[in-house]
Amino acid sequence: MAIDRNYVLYHYTPNLPCAILLAVLFALTTVLHLYQRIKAHSKYFNPFIVGGIFQVVGYGARAGSHFNTDSTLLYAIQSLLILLAPTLYAASIYMVLGRIITFLHGEHLSYIPVKWMTKVFVAGDVLSFILQAAGGGIMTNGSKNTVKIGEWVIVAGLCVQIVFFGAFVITSLIFHVKIIRSPTTASERFMSKRGSLWPPRDWRGLLFACYSASVLILVRSVYRLVEFVQGNDGYVISHEVFLYVFDAAMMFSVMVVMNVFHPSFVLSKDNIGFL
């Protein structure tokens, strides 16, 4: 693996304490997600857990880069895994919405047929993943001109991610408004069972958790879009603080939000029996 010598891997020495701290924090929340997934048999959250593993390995490699800023291997590992993790979070979040709609018997309230919903959004997510992975691979394997091509391929992948996430949020909001105006028997029973506490530990809380995660990922994607549009000589990529504020903190928050409002709290066999 070789990069043009004129291509600068880092415009700074990666911060060791921050990288270690993020690796540890992501490890903790990922382990909790793994426990929740095993306990609830929530297979649809497997991509989310893999995304957490990507973050742990990515920031671990970034910590290693502190001691060897010229290592293209460490650079490629941390760059690709940290870049791709949010697409895996998105895949699980997309699958949750379809399950919420089916769970509440609200298929008639969704403007996208539920049988197609997960397939459409996950397909867009897969396309985004492929484009970003391909772009990252090109960036870590070429000349200065090829690196520029890789950056624009990543930009295309991020644009796909933003478009599909925007459509997902709109789809969620439309369903949310409709089920409030025309509640199903299942949704009414669930609310009466759980009461009016805030934040609600029912389908409403789960939807708000999905909104929160989506907004955080959207903000992070816009940051990445700006970073790659500016290129390797841009202001954003030259300052490490942006990575930790607009990527690491955002994605850690996504994982914690979904720990607190894990879908299994709602989409469980016990609740299906109740409804």
Side-chain angles (χ1 to χ4, degrees):
M1 183 180 298
I3 292 181
D4 191 299
R5 292 186 178 183
N6 293 320
Y7 183 85
V8 179
L9 296 181
Y10 300 100
H11 294 271
Y12 48 77
T13 300
N15 187 290
L16 182 61
C18 285
I20 293 175
L21 176 62
L22 264 299
V24 171
L25 290 176
F26 276 114
L28 291 174
T29 183
T30 300
V31 168
L32 179 54
H33 271 293
L34 181 60
Y35 167 77
Q36 291 173 313
R37 180 259 178 269
I38 293 173
K39 182 179 178 181
H41 305 287
S42 48
K43 295 181 180 179
Y44 53 88
F45 243 58
N46 286 348
F48 202 96
I49 294 169
V50 175
I53 295 171
F54 273 26
Q55 298 279 19
V56 175
V57 177
Y59 282 101
R62 193 169 181 85
S65 293
H66 173 83
F67 301 101
N68 188 357
T69 56
D70 294 325
S71 172
T72 56
L73 177 60
L74 289 175
Y75 173 80
I77 291 173
Q78 65 87 30
S79 179
L80 278 173
L81 297 188
I82 294 173
L83 176 68
L84 295 175
T87 61
L88 295 169
Y89 298 155
S92 289
I93 293 171
Y94 290 150
M95 288 186 272
V96 168
L97 178 60
R99 283 167 170 77
I100 292 174
I101 294 173
T102 301
F103 185 75
L104 297 176
H105 305 156
E107 292 88 346
H108 61 290
L109 300 175
S110 174
Y111 79 92
I112 297 179
V114 175
K115 66 178 181 179
W116 292 107
M117 182 179 294
T118 298
K119 294 178 182 178
V120 168
F121 286 125
V122 172
D125 198 55
V126 170
L127 176 59
S128 173
F129 184 97
I130 291 172
L131 287 171
Q132 291 182 64
I138 293 170
M139 282 184 64
T140 57
N141 251 314
S143 65
K144 187 173 183 179
N145 290 334
T146 308
V147 166
K148 195 64 181 178
I149 294 173
E151 289 174 347
W152 284 106
V153 173
I154 291 175
V155 166
L158 290 168
C159 287
V160 170
Q161 187 176 62
I162 290 171
V163 168
F164 275 86
F165 244 119
F168 168 77
V169 172
I170 292 172
T171 301
S172 302
L173 287 171
I174 291 175
F175 168 75
H176 199 166
V177 170
K178 285 186 174 181
I179 200 168
I180 289 174
R181 291 177 176 175
S182 305
T184 63
T185 301
S187 67
E188 288 184 319
R189 286 180 178 177
F190 213 127
M191 285 191 289
S192 65
K193 176 187 177 185
R194 293 302 177 91
S196 58
L197 295 176
W198 188 263
R201 296 299 291 273
D202 58 22
W203 61 269
R204 295 168 297 173
L206 183 53
L207 273 178
F208 279 114
C210 289
Y211 295 149
S212 299
S214 298
V215 169
L216 289 167
I217 294 175
L218 276 172
V219 171
R220 174 265 176 195
S221 297
V222 170
Y223 148 70
R224 285 293 196 171
L225 188 62
V226 172
E227 177 187 36
F228 285 106
V229 167
Q230 287 185 349
N232 185 249
D233 298 325
Y235 181 81
V236 172
I237 201 172
S238 302
H239 294 77
E240 189 177 20
V241 64
F242 290 113
L243 174 71
Y244 288 109
V245 173
F246 291 108
D247 196 314
M250 297 285 178
M251 295 307 95
F252 177 69
S253 297
V254 167
M255 295 199 72
V256 171
V257 166
M258 299 312 293
N259 277 136
V260 176
F261 293 95
H262 196 273
S264 64
F265 297 150
V266 177
L267 309 176
S268 67
K269 292 182 180 179
D270 291 339
N271 287 329
I272 291 175
F274 172 81
L275 297 175

